[in-house]
Amino acid sequence: MEARRDVFQAIADPTRREIINILAHRSMNLNSVAENFDISRPAVSKHIKILNECGLVVIHKKGRERYCQANPASLIEVWEWANQYRAFWKEKLDALELLLKEEYKENIEKK
Amino acid sequence: MEARRDVFQAIADPTRREIINILAHRSMNLNSVAENFDISRPAVSKHIKILNECGLVVIHKKGRERYCQANPASLIEVWEWANQYRAFWKEKLDALELLLKEEYKENIEKK
DNA sequence: ACAATTAGTAACTATTCAGTTACAAATATA
DNA sequence: TATATTTGTAACTGAATAGTTACTAATTGT
C-alpha cells in the first residue's frame, strides 16, 4: 500500500470522500471517524494516513488521541483542475439550453 | 479490469487526465490519441473505454475510425463535488491572508 | 482481389489497493 | 500499579489495475 500519492488518487475512493465530508466542518478523533463506517478501525486509520499524506486531512495530537480535520487548501487543486474545463462546458451547455428554448418556443407558436 | 466505474475513479489515473486534456477541445481518432503516449495502443484503448463508460469521453464512429472527444457534462460532477467545499476553504484562506497582512504591518511599524 | 490501416479483445503478468486480524506502544483512569 | 483506551503497524489475503503481446474483424486504398 505505497506508491503514487496524489489528491486525485486519494479522492477516488468513496470511503475517503466520505471521511473528507465528515471532517470538513468539525474535528474528530480517529475512533469517532471509524464509528461512521462498517469497516475496521485500522482500515479507517490507513485511509486517514493517505488523506494526511497528500494534505487533505490535518492531524492534531492531543494526548493519546489524534484529532483529524479536513484541510480546505488541498482541495483547491481538484477544484482548479475541474474548473479549467468549466468555461468550455458552460459554453456548450448554454448553446444546448438555447436550442431547447427555441424548440419550445416553436412548439408553442404552432398551437 | 472491471468493477467500480465512476468519474472520480476514472480521473485518478494521470494518463486518463491527460487524455481528457487532449480531447477537451478537439476530436481525435484512437491512434492519434495513442501517439501522445509511450504506452501501447491497446493500453490507450482501454483508458478510453473507461472514460467512455463513465461518460467523460464520447465516441463517434466514422468508417473504421472512432473519433473521441471529451464530454464536458460529466466533468460537472467533479467540479460540483470540489466546489461544495469552496466557500469553506476560501473563508479559511482569507483568514490566513488577513493574519499574514497583520503580521506584516506590525513588522513595518517596528522599524 | 490483396494489402494496409484502425481498432477491439483475449490471455497473461506484476503491482497496487482495500480490507482483515493480531500485536505493540503510549496515555489516561481506577 | 494495574487496567482500559486510543492509536499505529506488521503480515497476510483477494481483488482490481495498468500494462504487455498476439490475434481477429472491419474498413479503406491499390
Side-chain angles (χ1 to χ4, degrees), chain A residues 8-59:
Chain A
F8 289 95
Q9 192 252 344
I11 64 168
D13 187 279
T15 302
R16 287 197 287 268
R17 287 202 300 282
E18 185 57 29
I19 291 173
I20 290 171
N21 185 43
I22 289 168
L23 297 176
H25 290 94
R26 58 209 184 94
S27 195
M28 206 181 278
N29 74 8
L30 202 135
N31 274 350
S32 302
V33 176
E35 279 170 16
N36 292 278
F37 299 92
D38 288 337
I39 58 176
S40 69
R41 183 195 49 77
V44 173
S45 178
K46 282 178 189 174
H47 281 307
I48 286 179
K49 191 185 180 188
I50 289 168
L51 290 168
N52 177 248
E53 278 171 4
C54 70
L56 283 166
V57 158
V58 288
I59 299 169

Side-chain angles (χ1 to χ4, degrees), chain A residues 27 39 75 78 92:
Chain A
S27 195
I39 58 176
L75 286 169
V78 179
K92 294 255 181 181

Side-chain angles (χ1 to χ4, degrees), chain A residues 79-95:
Chain A
W79 183 84
E80 283 184 340
W81 181 81
N83 196 56
Q84 78 183 105
Y85 299 106
R86 208 197 169 212
F88 169 60
W89 81 54
K90 200 172 178 310
E91 196 177 288
K92 294 255 181 181
L93 291 177
D94 283 354

